[in-house]
Amino acid sequence: MAKSKFEYVRNFELDDTCLRNCYIVVRLDGRNFHKFSEQHNFMKPNDNRALGLMSRSARSVMEELEDITIAYGQSDEFSFVFKRSTTWFKRRASKLMTHVTSQFSSSFVYFWKEYFAEQPLLYPPSFDGRVVLYPSNRNLRDYLSWRQADCHINNLYNTTFWTLVQEGGLTTTQAEERLSGTQAADKNEILFSEFNINYNNESSMHKKGTTLIWEKVNETTTKLIKRPNEGETEVTVTRTRKKVTSHSCDIIGDQFWEEHPDILESDQ
Ligand code: DGT
Ligand code: MG
Ligand code: MG
Ligand code: MG
Ligand code: MG
């Protein structure tokens, strides 16, 4: 087919192919969720409807897009890890990033009612996205550890802050002053000695965030089978299916990775 004289504009497109052998991580984060959470009456410090909707949307990303082996989310962010050997969309960063963020955003709106029943969605939310490449298993694990450590630090702060306000009667300014310069041990101590709260017993989803992976699960169904001269008989059929499963566990230590050896591909 003859080319038009306009065809040359294609050459203005930049190559953004992700380096081979690297894990491709796409992290998205809610735009201005400080305001979004206030306007939609999120519970403080953690709103289980919002966290549930984030995870539901992340599951939709994993189910609809190719080659995502693990996703980790907390607060208004989610990270998606493409396997290091993926060739999906020729590893083009912009394609991978925009597919993840748009699939996530549309799912967030699509499933809103399932999680927020009586709370209407007041305006269309949006999420930013970025791509980061990690060349080794150690780097990838350190990335995920960084996000989980961030979750822990923020949750301990927010839990103590809102306990001081909601149960201790402090203003938000007073609570901020009270916590300025405190270490983790100080916050644990405030919760325990002043409010009889053992931080260890707080919800693991709030402390650890949410990790989504693919796992084989057995599904048993019953089927009606017609046999000649016997009429219909009911048989049970078990098949294994890969499903996205959700975990609120430590992913910094080795145990999680030893229990799920398929997530990482070997370093070469
Ligand atoms: P950005 O990301 O630069 O556009 O701005 P923000 O406002 O989204 O800031 P970010 O992402 O650093 O912080 C997340 C905000 O979302 C933070 O203000 C707290 C809020 N948020 C996230 N999850 C919850 C929740 O479960 N409950 C409440 N009350 N707020 C939440
Ligand atoms: Mg931010
Ligand atoms: Mg945000
Ligand atoms: Mg955030
Ligand atoms: Mg098209």
Side-chain angles (χ1 to χ4, degrees):
M1 205 172 32
K3 286 187 174 183
S4 78
K5 68 170 181 174
F6 308 116
E7 194 76 19
Y8 78 95
V9 295
R10 250 183 190 287
N11 298 327
F12 281 64
E13 289 184 19
L14 297 174
D15 177 55
D16 64 348
T17 310
C18 293
L19 188 66
R20 287 164 67 97
N21 289 332
C22 292
Y23 290 102
I24 303 169
V25 174
V26 176
R27 180 166 82 253
L28 54 78
D29 184 285
R31 175 162 181 252
N32 206 355
F33 261 48
H34 180 70
K35 175 178 147 215
F36 186 85
S37 58
E38 292 288 341
Q39 297 205 326
H40 293 86
N41 302 307
F42 281 18
M43 302 275 290
K44 290 166 171 70
N46 296 295
D47 189 300
N48 286 338
R49 299 168 301 176
L51 296 172
L53 177 58
M54 289 291 290
S55 295
R56 180 64 191 88
S57 307
R59 175 153 73 87
S60 150
V61 169
M62 288 177 76
E63 286 170 348
E64 301 299 330
L65 311 186
E66 311 284 317
D67 289 348
I68 296 169
T69 51
I70 181 168
Y72 174 75
Q74 50 122 344
S75 182
D76 67 338
E77 68 168 63
F78 240 98
S79 299
F80 298 87
V81 181
F82 288 86
K83 67 181 191 187
R84 60 174 11 156
S85 58
T86 188
T87 54
W88 199 51
F89 276 108
K90 297 191 177 142
R91 298 175 72 83
R92 286 168 63 189
S94 54
K95 290 275 188 182
L96 301 180
M97 181 177 68
T98 54
H99 272 305
V100 167
T101 41
S102 69
Q103 183 71 38
F104 189 93
S105 302
S106 64
S107 300
F108 192 90
V109 173
Y110 186 79
F111 293 113
W112 175 268
K113 266 210 179 103
E114 279 185 29
Y115 292 83
F116 278 92
E118 71 295 340
Q119 166 67 57
L121 181 57
L122 300 174
Y123 59 90
S126 73
F127 295 82
D128 70 35
R130 73 189 72 188
V131 172
V132 194
L133 303 181
Y134 291 107
S136 70
N137 287 342
R138 187 70 262 164
N139 292 153
L140 178 70
R141 278 188 53 182
D142 287 347
Y143 169 77
L144 293 167
S145 299
W146 173 50
R147 299 324 303 146
Q148 188 165 59
D150 187 81
C151 174
H152 164 70
I153 292 163
N154 290 334
N155 190 58
L156 179 58
Y157 182 93
N158 293 337
T159 302
T160 318
F161 180 91
W162 287 109
T163 303
L164 286 168
V165 172
Q166 290 162 352
E167 294 183 36
L170 268 60
T171 65
T172 50
T173 316
Q174 287 169 334
E176 210 175 310
E177 280 166 7
R178 179 77 202 279
L179 291 179
S180 126
T182 55
Q183 305 289 308
D186 305 320
K187 297 183 190 79
N188 274 300
E189 186 56 28
I190 292 174
L191 286 172
F192 193 68
S193 58
E194 295 179 34
F195 301 98
N196 202 23
I197 294 170
N198 183 344
Y199 183 74
N200 291 331
N201 298 337
E202 292 291 291
S203 141
S204 56
M205 187 185 30
H206 300 163
K207 286 184 299 188
K208 302 287 182 199
T210 301
T211 302
L212 302 178
I213 53 174
W214 288 102
E215 282 189 295
K216 288 200 183 91
V217 286
N218 287 329
E219 268 189 354
T220 308
T221 48
T222 53
K223 257 189 183 171
L224 285 176
I225 290 187
K226 262 192 188 151
R227 291 207 175 92
N229 310 325
E230 277 185 48
E232 286 191 334
T233 50
E234 207 172 74
V235 292
T236 56
V237 191
T238 305
R239 24 174 235 153
T240 48
R241 233 169 44 96
K242 278 183 86 185
K243 274 181 91 168
V244 174
T245 58
S246 173
H247 307 257
S248 291
C249 61
D250 175 81
I251 56 169
I252 297 176
D254 291 334
Q255 190 185 343
F256 172 81
W257 301 97
E258 283 162 6
E259 283 171 4
H260 303 101
D262 298 342
I263 299 170
L264 300 176
E265 292 160 81
S266 69
D267 282 328
Q268 263 146 16

